[in-house]
């Protein structure tokens, strides 16, 4: 086989050589010829051939694979190489600011204002902890064009003791809260045209002071690995200077367990309230109220991929005492969110409702100038339908847009009390200078937008706004509810020692009602005023507040605060103007025991 192959190679070489000699011989006699191209060459697939990656070999011996046997002889080799120690790259780390467990703050300013805070917390050897907080804010009044005493005081003391382990955590709370305010909002029209003597007699006969007090205790228990997850309880005893009393007890136990990818949760609600007022607004009789709301709120959660859904319902039964009616309520409790583009755009929606327990304490916190003659009843929030988008426009800019439609029965609205010359109630709040509560079925549609930005580690900015329209069933207006609320904040670090900030908020126009009943009673019989019943528009207002801080060291910081710097003499409530420019100068001190 090897000999034949060599012969073939030799013959092929001879033929190629002779052809080359013949071609060189004819070169000298080359003539001109005409070549007619009949058709251009168009190659087809059949004209091409592919070289096989593994050609077939005629020599069978070449296809045999040799068997190779090898062994490795290893032996240790002593090495004298010693690697040098690595050195970390030089990275400048910011010095971590030391944190303290306690702080104290004190400030004083114009209008005789004093603001003091003290927060103390201590971890005990057993792992338990103790905390206490004291807060005080007071002013000696001095509002322009106000004839009655307008000073106020607001103080609170809160104590807590608790413990936390891997399996459970618990804490107990106790607190006392005291507020002192004055019903200084007298309408000047009541004594317009009075002689100075009659005016002094009228105003000196009014004692506008009111004092609220609240004592509470409660606690919370959390279990990490049990079907029974947590329970919170709280008891409030609320009272005032007119012998009004209110007791409220709330307990909310929570049960939760997981089945496959579904999380089941059930909240039980017990909300009991009982109270009384010594007399009604016209001093005819006293007022009593009491409600026990019992509810169950089952729900289950589904969390798959980019979607989170909570589906549930709320069932309430309200037992009323002192002439009320017992009622049963059912509400939706559905929420959902979906990540459309990761964290850049998240859509969320919900349909929720609940039975709101109203209380004298809550009303007095929302409006310090309510009279101790209120009608207390729960609000039936049939549903709150909302849809929104939230996310990020950039790494440092977040947004949130939300539209909502709320339907509430028996919604509480603050409304100015009437002034009646013949009113037998001669208390300091019975001169048209206090507010009562009226209930109405209210539907509201709102649009909320918010934008937050951290331009750098030294500058942050935020702005939000709410636009709302109201439809009432019985009352001509949604009393004292603004249609527009806007607010904006900015904070920035000037230097490592200096930092500052500002916030501004705007509240749109509100409506209230002025009712005056005047008869031929001295000295009103000498005035053209015989009575009024009209709607009053309260002007919109804005308030500008700023602060400037100087950090002396890690413990001590001085600050300067300014409120209502635009010196707006606006009225948050009808006939209740606020203080003008307010300035506070103070210091914070942090410490450990």
């Amino acid at each position: 086989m090897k000999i034949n192959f060599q012969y073939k190679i030799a013959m092929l070489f001879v033929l190629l050589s002779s052809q080359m000699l013949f071609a060189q011989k004819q070169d000298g006699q080359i003539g001109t010829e005409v070549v007619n191209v009949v058709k251009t060459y168009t190659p087809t697939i059949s004209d091409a051939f592919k070289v096989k990656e593994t050609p077939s070999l005629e020599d069978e011996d070449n296809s045999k694979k040799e068997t190779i046997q090898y062994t490795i002889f290893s032996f240790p080799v002593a090495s004298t190489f010693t690697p040098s120690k690595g050195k970390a790259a030089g990275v400048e780390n910011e010095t971590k600011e030391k944190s303290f467990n306690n702080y104290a703050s004190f400030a004083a300013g114009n209008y005789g204002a004093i603001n003091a805070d003290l927060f103390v917390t201590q971890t005990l050897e057993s792992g338990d902890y103790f905390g206490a907080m004291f807060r005080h804010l007071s002013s000696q009044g001095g509002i322009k064009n106000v004839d009655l005493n307008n000073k106020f005081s607001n103080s609170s003391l809160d104590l807590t003791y608790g413990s936390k382990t891997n399996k459970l955590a618990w804490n107990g709370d106790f607190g006392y809260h005291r507020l002192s305010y004055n019903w200084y909002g007298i309408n000047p029209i009541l004594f317009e045209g009075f002689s100075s003597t009659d005016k002094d007699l009228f105003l000196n006969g009014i004692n506008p002071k009111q004092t609220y007090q609240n004592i509470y205790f409660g606690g919370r228990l959390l279990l990490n690995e049990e079907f029974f997850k947590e329970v919170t309880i709280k008891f409030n005893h609320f009272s005032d200077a007119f012998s009004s009393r209110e007791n409220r007890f709330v307990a909310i136990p929570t049960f939760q367990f997981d089945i496959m990818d579904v999380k089941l949760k059930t909240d039980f609600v017990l909300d009991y309230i009982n109270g009384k007022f010594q007399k009604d607004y016209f001093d005819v009789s006293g007022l009593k109220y009491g409600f026990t709301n019992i509810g169950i709120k089952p729900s289950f959660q589904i969390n798959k991929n980019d979607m989170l859904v909570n589906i549930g319902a709320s069932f309430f039964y309200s037992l009323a005492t002192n002439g009320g009616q017992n009622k049963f309520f059912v509400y939706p409790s559905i929420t959902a969110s979906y990540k459309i583009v990761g964290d850049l755009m998240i859509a969320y929606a919900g349909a929720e409702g609940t039975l709101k327990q109203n209380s004298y304490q809550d009303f007095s916190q929302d409006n310090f100038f309510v009279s101790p003659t209120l009608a207390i009843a729960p609000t039936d929030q049939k549903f709150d339908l909302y849809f929104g988008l939230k996310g990020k426009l950039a790494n440092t800019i977040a947004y949130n847009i939300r539209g909502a439609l709320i339907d509430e029965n028996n919604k509480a609205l603050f409304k100015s009390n009437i002034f009646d010359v013949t009113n037998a109630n001669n208390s300091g709040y019975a001169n048209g200078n206090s507010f009562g509560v009226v209930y109405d079925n209210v539907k509201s549609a709102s649009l909320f937008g918010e934008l937050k930005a951290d331009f750098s580690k030294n500058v942050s900015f935020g702005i939000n706004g709410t636009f709302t329209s109201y439809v009432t069933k019985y009352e001509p207006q949604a009393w004292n509810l603004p249609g527009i609320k806007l607010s904006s904040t900015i904070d920035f670090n000037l230097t490592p020692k200096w930092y500052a900030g500002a916030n501004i908020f705007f509240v749109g126009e509100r409506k209230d009602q002025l009712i005056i009943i005047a008869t031929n009673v001295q000295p009103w019989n000498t005035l053209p005023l015989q009575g009024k019943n009209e709607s009053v528009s309260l002007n919109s207002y804005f308030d500008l507040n700023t602060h400037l801080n100087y950090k002396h060291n890690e413990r001590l910081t001085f600050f300067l605060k300014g409120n209502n710097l635009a010196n707006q003499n606006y009225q948050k409530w009808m006939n209740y103007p606020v203080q003008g420019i307010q300035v506070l100068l103070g210091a914070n001190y942090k410490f450990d025991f």
Side-chain angles (χ1 to χ4, degrees):
M1 292 294 294
K2 292 181 179 180
I3 296 174
N4 292 334
F5 182 76
Q6 292 174 357
Y7 284 161
K8 292 178 179 180
I9 296 298
M11 292 176 65
L12 180 61
F13 180 76
V14 171
L15 290 174
L16 291 173
S17 299
S18 62
Q19 182 67 24
M20 292 176 63
L21 291 173
F22 178 77
Q24 292 180 3
K25 183 178 179 180
Q26 296 293 328
D27 288 342
Q29 300 177 0
I30 293 176
T32 60
E33 296 183 4
V34 177
V35 179
N36 295 323
V37 178
V38 178
K39 181 181 179 181
T40 60
Y41 174 68
T42 304
T44 62
I45 295 176
S46 61
D47 295 325
F49 67 93
K50 182 179 180 182
V51 178
K52 295 182 180 179
E53 294 181 358
T54 307
S56 58
L57 300 177
E58 296 181 1
D59 194 347
E60 296 180 356
D61 293 338
N62 290 341
S63 62
K64 294 181 180 180
K65 295 182 180 180
E66 295 292 336
T67 303
I68 300 175
Q69 295 181 354
Y70 60 89
T71 60
I72 296 176
F73 178 69
S74 61
F75 59 91
V77 177
S79 175
T80 59
F81 173 73
T82 303
S84 60
K85 294 182 179 180
K87 184 178 180 181
V91 179
E92 295 182 1
N93 295 323
E94 295 183 359
T95 304
K96 186 176 180 180
E97 185 176 355
K98 182 180 179 180
S99 60
F100 298 89
N101 294 327
N102 317 293
Y103 78 87
S105 176
F106 181 83
N110 61 334
Y111 292 100
I114 295 177
N115 189 0
D117 295 311
L118 175 64
F119 178 79
V120 176
T121 182
Q122 184 66 35
T123 301
L124 307 178
E125 294 181 357
S126 59
D128 298 350
Y129 61 88
F130 169 80
M133 182 172 63
F134 171 76
R135 309 192 72 177
H136 174 81
L137 175 63
S138 63
S139 173
Q140 298 304 309
I143 302 175
K144 292 182 179 180
N145 302 321
V146 171
D147 296 295
L148 296 178
N149 188 353
N150 52 89
K151 66 180 181 180
F152 69 88
S153 174
N154 190 338
S155 303
S156 64
L157 175 65
D158 300 278
L159 305 174
T160 184
Y161 186 92
S163 177
K164 185 177 181 180
T165 64
N166 293 331
K167 293 185 177 181
L168 62 87
W170 65 269
N171 68 278
D173 303 320
F174 173 81
Y176 173 74
H177 194 188
R178 184 181 185 277
L179 300 90
S180 178
Y181 285 86
N182 286 274
W183 289 293
Y184 63 86
I186 290 290
N187 195 327
I189 197 174
L190 295 180
F191 47 82
E192 191 177 53
F194 276 19
S195 65
S196 59
T197 302
D198 289 337
K199 179 182 177 180
D200 291 341
L201 287 174
F202 173 62
L203 295 177
N204 291 335
I206 300 175
N207 180 10
K209 186 176 181 179
Q210 168 67 302
T211 301
Y212 302 110
Q213 297 184 86
N214 182 60
I215 300 174
Y216 77 88
F217 63 84
R220 186 181 184 190
L221 173 66
L222 292 89
L223 303 175
N224 293 333
E225 300 178 355
E226 301 292 340
F227 169 71
F228 174 68
K229 282 297 181 183
E230 67 174 286
V231 60
T232 59
I233 60 172
K234 189 173 184 179
F235 174 79
N236 286 280
H237 175 72
F238 187 72
S239 61
D240 66 11
F242 292 82
S243 301
S244 305
R245 297 287 185 273
E246 181 180 83
N247 296 312
R248 186 177 182 184
F249 176 78
V250 180
I252 305 177
T254 299
F255 299 86
Q256 180 178 305
F257 59 93
D258 298 336
I259 299 179
M260 303 295 290
D261 295 333
V262 179
K263 180 180 293 184
L264 301 179
K265 180 181 178 182
T266 301
D267 291 334
F268 292 90
V269 178
L270 174 62
D271 194 340
Y272 166 83
I273 192 170
N274 182 275
K276 67 174 183 178
F277 298 105
Q278 289 296 103
K279 54 186 177 183
D280 62 15
Y281 188 73
F282 294 98
D283 200 10
V284 176
S285 63
L287 297 174
K288 293 183 179 181
Y289 57 94
F291 296 91
T292 302
N293 297 337
I294 302 173
I296 179 173
K297 302 166 65 176
S299 65
F300 64 92
Q301 183 183 97
I302 301 175
N303 190 353
K304 289 188 176 181
N305 299 327
D306 294 329
M307 179 173 288
L308 177 64
V309 180
N310 287 281
I311 302 176
S314 300
F315 306 90
F316 281 90
Y317 187 73
S318 180
L319 292 87
T321 59
N322 301 306
Q325 295 181 350
N326 300 337
K327 293 183 179 180
F328 180 73
F329 303 90
V330 180
Y331 303 103
S333 182
I334 303 172
T335 63
S337 65
Y338 179 72
K339 294 183 178 180
I340 300 175
V341 188
D343 292 333
L344 299 180
M345 181 179 291
I346 302 173
Y348 63 94
E352 300 178 274
T354 189
L355 183 64
K356 294 181 178 179
Q357 185 80 284
N358 294 315
S359 69
Y360 180 35
Q361 179 189 6
D362 291 340
F363 287 147
S364 66
Q365 298 298 312
D366 295 336
N367 185 344
F368 301 124
F369 311 110
V370 293
S371 63
T373 60
L374 305 180
I376 305 296
T379 295
D380 172 21
Q381 187 184 85
K382 298 171 65 175
F383 59 79
D384 178 4
L385 300 177
Y386 59 88
F387 173 79
L389 291 173
K390 62 182 180 180
K392 295 181 178 180
L393 299 176
N395 289 334
T396 59
I397 303 176
Y399 68 91
N400 185 12
I401 304 173
R402 167 177 166 154
L405 177 64
I406 303 175
D407 189 357
E408 296 175 288
N409 286 348
N410 217 37
K411 181 179 177 61
L413 303 172
F414 293 114
K415 181 181 174 184
S416 180
N417 284 323
I418 70 173
F419 173 73
D420 188 348
V421 176
T422 62
N423 189 356
N425 190 346
N426 59 358
S427 300
Y429 56 82
N431 298 279
N433 57 332
S434 63
F435 295 84
V437 172
V438 295
Y439 294 88
D440 198 358
N441 297 344
V442 181
K443 293 182 175 65
S444 59
S446 65
L447 177 64
F448 170 80
E450 183 179 34
L451 192 67
K452 294 183 177 180
D454 293 327
F455 298 113
S456 68
K457 66 178 182 179
N458 294 323
V459 181
S460 62
F461 172 79
I463 186 172
N464 66 76
T466 303
F467 304 86
T468 311
S469 63
Y470 304 94
V471 177
T472 58
K473 185 175 182 179
Y474 304 109
E475 297 291 330
Q477 300 286 344
W479 307 116
N480 283 294
L481 293 180
I484 302 176
K485 285 185 176 181
L486 303 173
S487 67
S488 179
T489 62
I490 185 169
D491 292 287
F492 45 88
N493 297 325
L494 303 174
T495 69
K497 292 285 188 179
W498 292 88
Y499 57 97
N503 71 80
I504 184 173
F505 61 87
F506 172 87
V507 178
E509 186 179 272
R510 292 91 57 224
K511 296 287 187 178
D512 206 332
Q513 190 172 32
L514 173 63
I515 301 179
I516 299 175
I517 300 176
T519 59
N520 293 324
V521 177
Q522 292 183 346
W524 287 275
N525 58 350
T526 62
L527 301 177
L529 175 64
Q530 294 299 317
K532 282 185 176 294
N533 187 343
E534 59 187 21
S535 178
V536 177
S537 296
L538 301 179
N539 294 332
S540 59
Y541 64 89
F542 73 93
D543 200 324
L544 174 63
N545 309 303
T546 62
H547 66 87
L548 177 65
N549 300 66
Y550 171 71
K551 186 177 179 181
H552 180 68
N553 54 42
E554 62 182 7
R555 293 179 179 268
L556 182 62
T557 301
F558 298 96
F559 62 85
L560 177 66
K561 293 182 178 180
N563 297 327
N564 194 13
L565 294 183
N567 199 25
Q568 298 291 299
N569 191 29
Y570 62 85
Q571 296 182 15
K572 182 177 181 181
W573 306 101
M574 188 170 72
N575 301 321
Y576 278 88
V578 300
Q579 294 175 343
I581 296 177
Q582 305 149 43
V583 179
L584 279 174
L585 178 63
N588 294 325
Y589 183 75
K590 303 175 184 178
F591 61 96
D592 285 329
F593 290 120

